[in-house]
Amino acid sequence: MTPDTHFKEGLAAGEIRLQRCAACDTHIFFPRVLCPACHGTDLTWVTASGAGEVYTFTTVRQRPERGGDYNVAMVELAEGVRMMTRVDGDPQAVKVGMPVTAYVGDIDGTPAVLCRKSEA
Amino acid sequence: MDHALRGKSAIVGLGVAGLGEAPGYTSWDIMAQSAQAALADAGLALKDVDGLFCAMMEDSMPVLMAAEYLGIRPRHVDGTLTGGSSFVNYLASATAALDAGLCDVALVCYGSNQRTASGKLVTASRLPPFEAPYKPRYPVSGYAMAAQRHMHQYGTTREQLADVAVAARGWASHNPQAFMRDPITRGDVLAARMVSDPLGKLDCCLVTDGGGAIVLTRADRAKDHAKTPVYVLGAAAESTHRQISQMPDFTVTAARESGKRAFAMAGVKPSDIDVLQLYDAFTINIILFLEDLGYCAKGEGGAFVEGGRIAPGGALPVNTYGGGLSCTHPGMLGIFTIIEAAHQIRGTAPGLQLDGVDLALAHGNGGVLSSQVTAILGSEATL
Ligand SMILES: [Zn+2]
């Protein structure tokens, strides 16, 4: 199974799958055929815990009739990977360093990694 | 010991066309007008060009299209597309190609009609697949997230970002080629419509038409041309990522390495530079590049630009033509950073001309803070 296929099948099953390099222990996102840290090719798959925090974010401004403002965030997962995602809820409530939980949701009918603010 | 390519090439022609609005003209028309202007400035003709360096958003093989349009058959071409930094990158590759005898007359050219044709920034490609679903507004959202992280980590303020825009307008107000010349204040920048927080409309570059071109030859032939030659003393690149989510640290750009190597090649240090032309797609760019190029410590860029330090009359002249924020931004700005740096050394700037400029820095940025290229240009006295 190709890296892309494995990742997409994970999303379809409600799992966020990350690669892990057997040689240097680095977790890898986006999926690929080699480790960008040590260039090893012995990669295994793990399911992300979902724990993470907001590294940075922006509020994209949009007129209310077109759907209103929305959040775009960079989230760092506990495994050490960073990905673009979206934090649910009021965009103005998002803060750098805010703990979030990543989950598989849906954007325009396609499974996608989304985040919600973690309970304190 | 001197770097093998230090001072081996010189810019002998500069040209621009269609700055602001050029309704009805195609990007290729504007590119060709720029090329003709630069060649005329050098006392050369299109038939003399045997090295062609061109990046355009219109076609995936821009340098082939450009050669076809111009009716030339160059023996050396380079169309490497690293976004807006492409043209500063060509200073390095053209110098190497000239030095190696792969060509004798190198034309670097660009044109865009993005303002009158589409009214928005034209981008070369689809969004990366792992970013597209979240609909970042490209490219501003990437820069906005860098600004947000910088503010979080170092306490940089929107007021400090605004000072970058105010300084750019200050220079532009003296430049008849600049598209926006009415003075603005910090308050105007802060009150402008938000686009992608924390960046508002006046934190963003203009969307204009325009083209630019330069002509380079080997240094030993440079004095045969009519205008004062401007020598390429150093040029260096580094790239870190394509997708903004993969940028190693959103507060540190590859300008650290490109700058370090360009200064080393030129044999000069940041404080030796008389004028800086930095790629200002957004206000945060200037703060990041001043830090990464060694003009202040990491995190101090916000305080550094306060009080008009980079504005007309300030201690460090930055973007003396008004930059992408106030003069022109036809999608890729890199060629204009070179043109203004060269004008300042020649003494022919269209706006405010500084006295006694011997060393100028031109810095190109491409992608979303992805590709960084720094060039150091010098007068004959610096050889
Ligand atoms: Zn590895």
Side-chain angles (χ1 to χ4, degrees):
Chain A
M1 207 183 299
T2 69
D4 256 1
T5 311
H6 201 93
F7 181 76
K8 276 182 192 145
E9 287 197 354
L11 288 185
E15 289 175 6
I16 302 166
R17 292 182 187 164
L18 306 175
Q19 288 165 301
R20 190 176 144 275
C21 174
C24 77
D25 252 1
T26 301
H27 285 89
I28 301 161
F29 180 81
F30 55 97
R32 61 194 95 179
V33 300
L34 55 76
C35 168
C38 77
H39 305 148
T41 54
D42 185 3
L43 308 181
T44 56
W45 287 88
V46 298
T47 302
S49 68
E53 69 171 52
V54 175
Y55 174 76
T56 187
F57 68 97
T58 185
T59 303
V60 180
R61 301 294 184 132
Q62 186 174 246
R63 284 195 295 274
E65 63 271 25
R66 301 189 59 190
D69 300 345
Y70 59 94
N71 168 268
V72 175
M74 295 294 168
V75 164
E76 273 180 3
L77 297 184
E79 289 81 3
V81 302
R82 190 193 297 147
M83 58 178 71
M84 186 175 281
T85 178
R86 183 176 298 173
V87 180
D88 298 343
D90 176 7
Q92 299 302 326
V94 178
K95 300 274 180 279
V96 176
M98 190 170 100
V100 293
T101 305
Y103 68 98
V104 180
D106 175 287
I107 296 180
D108 301 333
T110 306
V113 178
L114 298 175
C115 289
R116 65 171 74 92
K117 189 179 176 186
S118 299
E119 300 307 322
Chain B
M1 203 185 90
D2 270 4
H3 189 285
L5 291 177
R6 183 191 192 273
K8 288 292 166 64
S9 73
I11 299 168
V12 295
L14 303 171
V16 295
L19 295 184
E21 291 182 329
Y25 287 98
T26 69
S27 294
W28 303 103
D29 295 335
I30 296 168
M31 175 278 297
Q33 289 169 338
S34 306
Q36 283 188 302
L39 287 161
D41 189 50
L44 293 168
L46 272 166
K47 64 175 171 45
D48 300 315
V49 174
D50 62 357
L52 182 61
F53 300 74
C54 178
M56 303 276 286
M57 286 302 182
E58 267 67 16
D59 192 285
S60 57
M61 290 183 258
V63 75
L64 303 186
M65 280 290 291
E68 175 187 290
Y69 185 113
L70 296 171
I72 60 174
R73 294 173 60 159
R75 59 189 175 108
H76 181 76
V77 297
D78 184 351
T80 307
L81 185 58
T82 57
S85 65
S86 303
F87 309 93
V88 189
N89 201 34
Y90 297 151
L91 286 182
S93 57
T95 300
L98 288 163
D99 187 62
L102 299 177
C103 61
D104 295 317
V105 174
L107 171 68
V108 179
C109 56
Y110 171 64
S112 162
N113 65 349
Q114 67 168 8
R115 181 179 182 87
T116 53
S118 77
K120 62 182 170 61
L121 283 168
V122 177
T123 55
S125 56
R126 291 174 300 133
L127 275 170
F130 291 99
E131 298 188 348
Y134 305 101
K135 303 181 180 71
R137 192 163 290 160
Y138 186 84
V140 58
S141 293
Y143 291 85
M145 286 190 276
Q148 187 75 256
R149 182 72 196 181
H150 203 276
M151 291 166 87
H152 168 81
Q153 217 163 313
Y154 299 111
T156 309
T157 63
R158 284 205 65 218
E159 285 76 6
Q160 292 167 337
L161 292 170
D163 287 350
V164 172
V166 171
R169 190 62 63 86
W171 292 108
S173 68
H174 299 278
N175 181 3
Q177 290 185 346
F179 193 62
M180 298 295 281
R181 296 200 290 271
D182 293 336
I184 53 170
T185 65
R186 233 189 205 190
D188 294 331
V189 183
L190 296 177
R193 173 176 61 82
M194 292 304 288
V195 177
S196 192
D197 295 24
L199 301 181
K201 189 169 190 296
L202 293 180
D203 289 287
C204 301
C205 64
L206 306 172
V207 175
T208 66
D209 297 339
I214 62 173
V215 180
L216 295 117
T217 61
R218 268 186 297 283
D220 57 7
R221 294 180 43 176
K223 282 185 219 163
D224 300 342
H225 299 273
K227 300 287 168 59
T228 308
V230 174
Y231 296 90
V232 180
L233 303 181
E238 181 132 331
S239 59
T240 40
H241 61 279
R242 169 69 179 91
Q243 314 179 62
I244 187 69
S245 52
Q246 303 293 311
M247 186 169 177
D249 178 335
F250 277 38
T251 68
V252 181
T253 75
R256 267 196 184 169
E257 286 73 24
S258 67
K260 200 179 297 169
R261 281 188 274 107
F263 282 120
M265 180 172 165
V268 301
K269 53 188 189 300
S271 58
D272 295 329
I273 303 294
D274 298 308
V275 59
L276 276 65
Q277 312 300 341
L278 306 178
Y279 197 110
D280 58 338
F282 302 94
T283 50
I284 185 64
N285 291 43
I286 299 297
I287 289 174
L288 291 171
F289 297 152
L290 287 170
E291 293 172 349
D292 294 338
L293 293 171
Y295 287 89
C296 59
K298 182 50 64 184
E300 290 175 8
F304 187 87
V305 300
E306 282 183 313
R309 184 180 304 198
I310 62 169
L316 186 70
V318 174
N319 293 357
T320 42
Y321 63 119
L325 290 167
S326 279
C327 179
T328 191
H329 200 306
M332 293 194 281
L333 186 72
I335 191 82
F336 302 99
T337 69
I338 302 167
I339 290 171
E340 176 67 10
H343 270 308
Q344 288 288 344
I345 290 169
R346 293 203 320 197
T348 54
L352 277 181
Q353 172 66 51
L354 305 177
D355 291 332
V357 175
D358 282 309
L359 284 167
L361 181 151
H363 183 81
N365 160 79
V368 270
L369 294 166
S370 313
S371 160
Q372 304 299 330
V373 192
T374 311
I376 313 288
L377 306 180
S379 67
E380 192 182 346
T382 65
L383 283 178

